[in-house]
């Protein structure tokens, strides 16, 4: 049977979002979380984690959540001219990063990405010194973009990091196509994201295999921001079957941490993403995590 991991992204995005995620951890409902290191609340969120740690029934696996979409860079802004504004806020879009993978100047962009990811990874490792082997993913799956992936693999090699996991944002599409009764509940644009990321995954998988990363599927793209319990339970058997057929682990990705409107600041530099951060759907996803977590449903793994 393929292993299933219930995962939460965006610890460190805001104080309230991190409190929500800690609630899920203390309930034993999360197997792993991803940590942002470039938001102003990072140190406070690390402190909150440390204070809550004695209440964890199981300590979750920790991943570095590389962030080139929001927040402030950890580098000097002048060192990242293609990524941030003069104040250091990230200002490049996902599609622009993707396009730059195939345009002149890619090597200079790769150098900037590498410098910043080394600092973000270093910040998380210092905060959590028990992290001997790295687990890596990214905000909005930017590590899957070819130029970002190249920078990441070069950084891993040059720093001789030991890596046990890199998220492969590859989501099987078959279970969604067969769930005819749910067609009206899926956002068409997310199918486009699914196809782009599956393309990127094909470019990455050989290098991930060389690092010893286990083959996996991710579930949380087509339903991104809307991972409610009812649809997750309906699709779970088909997703498990898809993972088992390909002998892959399955990571179920949730965003159970809700940002309060009062926490929105210039750090949230993508105006179109703010609605996602403060959405009540994040509360719905938190409820799904609390219900689906292994403490409540031991048959999920």
């Amino acid at each position: 049977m393929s292993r299933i991991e219930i995962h939460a992204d965006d610890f460190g995005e805001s104080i309230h979002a991190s409190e929500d995620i800690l609630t899920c951890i203390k309930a034993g409902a999360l197997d792993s979380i991803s940590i942002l290191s470039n938001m102003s609340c990072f140190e406070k969120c690390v402190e909150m984690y440390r204070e809550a740690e004695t209440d964890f029934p199981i300590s979750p696996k920790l991943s570095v959540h590389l962030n080139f979409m929001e927040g402030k860079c950890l580098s000097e802004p002048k060192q990242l001219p293609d990524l941030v504004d003069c104040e250091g806020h990230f200002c490049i879009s996902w599609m622009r990063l993707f396009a730059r993978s195939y345009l002149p100047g890619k090597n200079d962009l790769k150098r900037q990405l590498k410098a910043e990811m080394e600092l973000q990874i270093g910040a998380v490792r210092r905060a959590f010194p028990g992290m001997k082997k790295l687990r890596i993913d990214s905000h909005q799956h930017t590590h899957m973009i070819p130029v970002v992936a190249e920078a990441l693999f070069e950084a891993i090699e040059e720093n001789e990091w030991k890596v046990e996991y890199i998220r492969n944002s590859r989501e099987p599409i078959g279970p969604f196509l067969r769930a005819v009764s749910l067609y009206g509940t899926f956002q068409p644009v997310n199918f486009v994201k699914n196809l782009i990321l599956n393309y990127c995954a094909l470019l990455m998988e050989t290098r991930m295999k060389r690092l010893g990363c286990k083959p996996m599927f991710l579930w949380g793209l087509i339903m991104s921001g809307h991972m409610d319990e009812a649809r997750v339970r309906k699709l779970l058997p088909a997703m498990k079957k898809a993972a088992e057929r390909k002998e892959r682990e399955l990571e179920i990705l949730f965003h159970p941490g809700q940002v309060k409107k009062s926490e929105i600041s210039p750090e949230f530099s993508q105006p179109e993403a703010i609605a996602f951060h403060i959405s009540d759907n994040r509360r719905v996803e938190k409820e799904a995590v609390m219900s689906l977590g292994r403490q409540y449903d031991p048959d999920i793994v």
Side-chain angles (χ1 to χ4, degrees):
M1 179 180 290
S2 296
R3 175 178 171 78
I4 296 177
E5 190 168 287
I6 298 180
H7 181 92
D9 268 3
D10 297 348
F11 184 84
E13 185 172 45
S14 80
I15 298 296
H16 189 266
S18 300
E19 288 173 342
D20 282 341
I21 292 171
L22 286 173
T23 298
C24 295
I25 297 173
K26 287 188 281 190
L30 284 170
D31 300 299
S32 54
I33 65 171
S34 296
I35 302 168
L36 291 157
S37 63
N38 72 317
M39 303 297 280
S40 61
C41 63
F42 172 63
E43 291 185 2
K44 175 61 178 175
C45 291
V46 172
E47 182 182 328
M48 289 162 46
Y49 185 97
R50 291 290 176 226
E51 291 174 352
E53 208 166 5
T54 55
D55 296 326
F56 297 169
I58 299 175
S59 293
K61 298 175 185 176
L62 306 179
S63 299
V64 179
H65 202 47
L66 296 173
N67 188 7
F68 308 113
M69 295 285 98
E70 295 182 295
K72 293 187 74 170
C73 63
L74 301 187
S75 308
E76 287 294 326
K78 64 183 180 182
Q79 295 176 345
L80 308 182
D82 295 319
L83 297 172
V84 304
D85 61 22
C86 60
E87 296 182 352
H89 294 114
F90 284 101
C91 61
I92 192 167
S93 69
W94 201 98
M95 288 307 300
R96 190 171 158 205
L97 259 181
F98 184 83
R100 288 286 303 272
S101 298
Y102 303 99
L103 294 174
K106 182 184 80 169
N107 287 337
D108 190 48
L109 177 62
K110 184 168 61 174
R111 175 191 59 76
Q112 297 174 48
L113 288 162
K114 195 191 309 183
E116 177 63 17
M117 65 177 57
E118 287 175 349
L119 291 176
Q120 292 188 17
I121 289 170
V124 176
R125 295 190 87 173
R126 285 191 299 275
F128 298 93
M131 187 183 289
K132 303 303 181 185
K133 290 187 177 181
L134 281 172
R135 291 170 55 90
I136 301 170
D137 51 47
S138 65
H139 203 44
Q140 299 181 24
H141 310 285
T142 46
H143 72 290
M144 301 293 294
I145 296 172
V147 67
V148 185
E150 287 181 28
L152 176 59
F153 286 117
E154 286 185 15
I156 290 170
E157 182 178 354
E158 291 169 8
N159 290 280
E160 298 182 342
W161 288 327
K162 293 185 183 345
V163 178
E164 67 176 7
Y165 158 94
I166 297 175
R167 174 183 289 162
N168 184 3
S169 303
R170 180 175 180 179
E171 183 176 62
I173 200 168
F176 299 101
L177 298 179
R178 290 189 289 272
V180 178
S181 64
L182 297 179
Y183 276 12
T185 71
F186 302 138
Q187 297 184 50
V189 68
N190 286 346
F191 281 92
V192 177
K193 294 176 182 177
N194 173 287
L195 292 173
I196 293 173
L197 286 168
N198 279 346
Y199 162 76
C200 293
L202 293 174
L203 304 179
M204 287 187 65
E205 288 198 341
T206 299
R207 299 185 77 170
M208 292 168 70
K209 186 176 181 180
R210 286 184 194 142
L211 288 174
C213 298
K214 294 180 180 179
M216 61 165 288
F217 279 142
L218 180 72
W219 178 12
L221 301 175
I222 288 175
M223 290 169 56
S224 180
H226 302 275
M227 292 284 287
D228 57 279
E229 182 182 355
R231 289 188 304 162
V232 169
R233 286 197 182 277
K234 186 174 181 65
L235 287 167
L236 183 58
M239 281 293 184
K240 289 170 67 174
K241 186 175 180 180
E244 289 167 1
R245 187 167 59 247
K246 295 293 184 178
E247 298 182 338
R248 291 172 176 258
E249 296 186 350
L250 177 64
E251 179 183 322
I252 310 179
L253 171 60
F254 293 91
H255 294 85
Q258 185 177 28
V259 180
K260 286 186 175 181
K261 289 182 181 179
S262 60
E263 294 178 311
I264 297 298
S265 70
E267 289 182 291
F268 295 88
S269 48
Q270 286 188 329
E272 66 277 10
I274 291 175
F276 173 67
H277 298 318
I278 66 175
S279 171
D280 199 49
N281 286 326
R282 291 204 170 201
R283 178 189 56 77
V284 173
E285 293 204 12
K286 178 183 175 183
E287 292 173 354
V289 167
M290 294 290 280
S291 178
L292 290 162
R294 61 179 57 181
Q295 175 176 329
Y296 298 87
D297 184 0
D299 294 329
I300 199 167
V301 293

